[in-house]
Amino acid sequence: QVQLVESGGGSVQTGGSLRLSCAASGAIYCMAWFRQATGKGREGVAAITRGGTTFLADSVKGRFTISRDNAKNTLYLQMNSLKPEDTAVYYCAAAQLSCTIATVTPYNYWGQGTQVTVSS
C-alpha cells in the first residue's frame, strides 16, 4: 500500500505560478497528476515514470513541468503562466504497471487532492 500526500495548492492570479508536491510512502513505477474542475470529469495533466519518461496534456505543454525525486519518492508539478481554466482540484496518483494520462484505470493509489484557483 502506497500513501500519497499532496501539498502546494493555493490561489493565484492569471499568469502566476504554483508548485505542487506529492510525497509517496514508497517507491512506485508511475506517478501522475490529474485534475477535476467543478462539474467535470477527472482529467490527466501529466505523468512520469521512475525512469523519467514524461507525458503532458496538450493544454499544459509549455507551461507545466512534471518531475520526480526518486530518492525522496516525491513528485512535483511546476505550473507557470496559469490560466483561469487551470482552476481545479489537483490529485496525485500512482500506478505500479503502466503510465498514461489518458485514463485513471492503471492508478491504484490517490492523494486527497489540493485546490488550485486561478483568478482573472
Side-chain angles (χ1 to χ4, degrees):
Q1 189 78 5
V2 175
Q3 294 182 328
L4 304 173
V5 179
E6 299 122 333
S7 60
S11 298
V12 295
Q13 292 188 327
T14 298
S17 298
L18 285 172
R19 188 191 196 206
L20 305 183
S21 299
C22 173
S25 60
I28 196 156
Y29 171 63
C30 176
M31 298 185 77
W33 293 100
F34 285 77
R35 66 187 180 187
Q36 188 165 16
T38 302
K40 295 189 177 182
R42 198 161 292 192
E43 171 193 26
V45 176
I48 184 169
T49 67
R50 191 165 177 81
T53 300
T54 60
F55 307 86
L56 280 172
D58 288 344
S59 59
V60 305
K61 283 180 180 176
R63 301 188 298 122
F64 291 11
T65 302
I66 188 170
S67 61
R68 66 189 286 174
D69 183 333
N70 290 333
K72 296 181 179 179
N73 293 325
T74 301
L75 174 71
Y76 304 100
L77 185 68
Q78 178 66 45
M79 304 186 293
N80 299 328
S81 302
L82 282 160
K83 304 175 180 180
E85 51 263 45
D86 295 317
T87 295
V89 177
Y90 283 68
Y91 295 92
C92 175
Q96 297 281 18
L97 299 178
S98 64
C99 208
T100 179
I101 56 171
T103 174
V104 301
T105 301
Y107 295 93
N108 312 93
Y109 308 106
W110 291 87
Q112 78 283 2
T114 186
Q115 178 70 46
V116 171
T117 302
V118 185
S119 57
S120 57

